[in-house]
Amino acid sequence: MAVRPIVIWPDPRLREPTRPVAEVTDEIRALYRDLVDTMYAYDGVGIAAIQIGVPLRMFLIDATVAGRGGGDPVAFINPEIVSVSGEKEKSDEGCLSFPGIYVAIERPHRARLAATGLDAAAFEAEGAGLFARAMLHEHDHLTGKLLVDFVGPLKKRQIRRKLERQAEPAAGHVHGEDCDHDHDHGDRAHTGTLARAGRSNL
Ligand SMILES: [Zn+2]
């Protein structure tokens, strides 16, 4: 079990094609545990394997968000979208690969996905609100679709500048109250504290 580094946009690895998981092996179960540790270390409620640089079709959703009342995060292996509602909902969305960035995105209010679980059994999950949003956000990661694909070119440049500032090496200057960057000096594990109520990192 280990916390793995999160791949931050615009790292091209986030656009890599993903491969299906052939079989739920010990390796996949180890990947699941690393994803759990990493998701919680960075205050996420969902994470896709490609966000730690593993281009497999697999993601996790926090059990509370998934309506299971707590427990281990739910693994979605080789997920497919079965259906989405015509009714839509706009809400701020964060992503572990865009620390501190939130984008208002309109998505279907409900979604139903089919997937394989960590026990290798097929299952379907239907959710509304944040659960639907989380499933669709993570499914987007498997097709290389990211938050910045929902915004215009100006906003995209702003996001790039902000992330580039955050990525600057700490050695350049002495950090202090006058720093214009708004995160905890090189430690991305703290970015979750930037999340406001109702905003979730996926
Ligand atoms: Zn994400």
Side-chain angles (χ1 to χ4, degrees):
M1 299 207 291
V3 175
R4 310 259 295 258
I6 299 271
V7 179
I8 305 295
W9 186 79
D11 192 314
R13 285 178 292 168
L14 290 169
R15 304 287 196 184
E16 254 182 74
T18 53
R19 300 186 310 273
V21 173
E23 201 185 340
V24 182
T25 57
D26 284 347
E27 201 181 327
I28 293 298
R29 284 183 281 270
L31 172 63
Y32 169 82
R33 288 191 297 274
D34 283 359
L35 284 166
V36 172
D37 290 349
T38 307
M39 181 176 89
Y40 287 133
Y42 288 84
D43 242 353
V45 294
I47 189 171
I50 196 163
Q51 291 181 278
I52 59 167
V54 179
L56 287 174
R57 297 183 62 80
M58 174 168 170
F59 64 73
L60 269 56
I61 307 272
D62 172 80
T64 304
V65 169
R68 304 210 176 172
D72 292 332
V74 183
F76 289 73
I77 296 167
N78 303 333
E80 303 285 347
I81 296 172
V82 176
S83 62
V84 294
S85 64
E87 185 195 347
K88 296 192 175 184
E89 203 169 78
K90 197 167 191 173
S91 183
D92 273 356
E93 206 168 295
C95 177
L96 295 172
S97 297
F98 294 79
I101 306 287
Y102 294 89
V103 176
I105 295 178
E106 188 177 73
R107 292 196 187 266
H109 174 62
R110 301 189 73 87
R112 186 174 185 84
L113 269 72
T116 298
L118 206 59
D119 58 0
F123 71 98
E124 290 200 1
E126 183 166 347
L130 180 58
F131 184 24
R133 180 170 295 278
M135 287 194 289
L136 295 173
H137 176 109
E138 302 309 340
H139 190 271
D140 278 352
H141 273 300
L142 309 187
T143 62
K145 192 170 186 185
L146 300 166
L147 285 192
V148 282
D149 301 327
F150 291 88
V151 304
L154 179 66
K155 175 84 173 164
K156 189 172 177 176
R157 273 199 302 277
Q158 285 172 349
I159 291 172
R160 184 188 286 265
R161 272 201 299 273
K162 187 169 181 192
L163 292 178
E164 279 168 357
R165 273 204 306 276
Q166 289 181 169
E168 278 169 14
H173 67 285
V174 177
H175 293 291
E177 283 176 23
D178 296 329
C179 288
D180 61 354
H181 46 97
D182 57 0
H183 77 123
D184 291 60
H185 307 151
D187 184 355
R188 287 216 173 88
H190 289 144
T191 54
T193 58
L194 295 171
R196 291 185 208 152
R199 288 173 151 187
S200 298
N201 297 309
L202 300 162

